[in-house]
Amino acid sequence: MKINVHSLSLAIIMSIIDAIMMGLTKKYYLSGHKLKYVLAAGMVIYMCQPLLFYRALSFEGMGIFNVLWDSVSNLIVLFVGIYFFSERITIRKYIGVILSFISIYLLTTTTN
């Protein structure tokens, strides 16, 4: 089995952008809507997504890449929430995280 490194790399980059945008949005929310520049920065960063998605289409189909991107994004945003915002998750949600890792593996491996 071989891992599709190009698709996984682009999904990780796009997911990091997601995590930055969502983290900045939460920071804006927690500030009581006082840090408007933080929200604007998140929006500007998020505008890079379509260019990266366009590039990803040369490596993978739209549907599969979107599922891969969503799965990786969910994991990275989860870790940002836990690390930076002290969010808690339950055992049941940990099981969901494990299933996400399995789905990423299945989506990025090819059999030849």
Side-chain angles (χ1 to χ4, degrees):
M1 288 195 201
K2 180 179 168 189
I3 293 180
N4 187 340
V5 176
H6 298 294
S7 294
L8 184 57
S9 299
L10 284 169
I12 290 170
I13 293 168
M14 291 176 70
S15 299
I16 290 170
I17 290 171
D18 282 349
I20 292 169
M21 183 274 305
M22 290 182 192
L24 290 174
T25 302
K26 180 146 184 175
K27 186 171 180 76
Y28 171 72
Y29 173 79
L30 293 174
S31 75
H33 309 288
K34 294 176 185 171
L35 304 173
K36 295 192 187 309
Y37 68 90
V38 172
L39 187 61
M43 289 179 191
V44 169
I45 291 168
Y46 200 63
M47 289 179 357
C48 299
Q49 295 287 28
L51 299 172
L52 293 169
F53 191 81
Y54 177 78
R55 177 73 176 130
L57 292 176
S58 62
F59 301 110
E60 191 64 73
M62 179 179 72
I64 295 299
F65 183 77
N66 191 57
V67 172
L68 177 62
W69 169 28
D70 287 343
S71 299
V72 174
S73 179
N74 289 339
L75 291 173
I76 291 176
V77 170
L78 171 74
F79 293 128
V80 167
I82 291 169
Y83 185 75
F84 290 104
F85 298 105
S86 301
E87 295 179 353
R88 304 275 182 241
I89 62 173
T90 63
I91 296 295
R92 183 178 180 149
K93 292 177 183 176
Y94 273 114
I95 294 169
V97 169
I98 291 167
L99 292 174
S100 292
F101 277 113
I102 292 169
S103 72
I104 291 167
Y105 174 76
L106 292 174
L107 289 168
T108 58
T109 56
T110 56
T111 56
N112 291 339

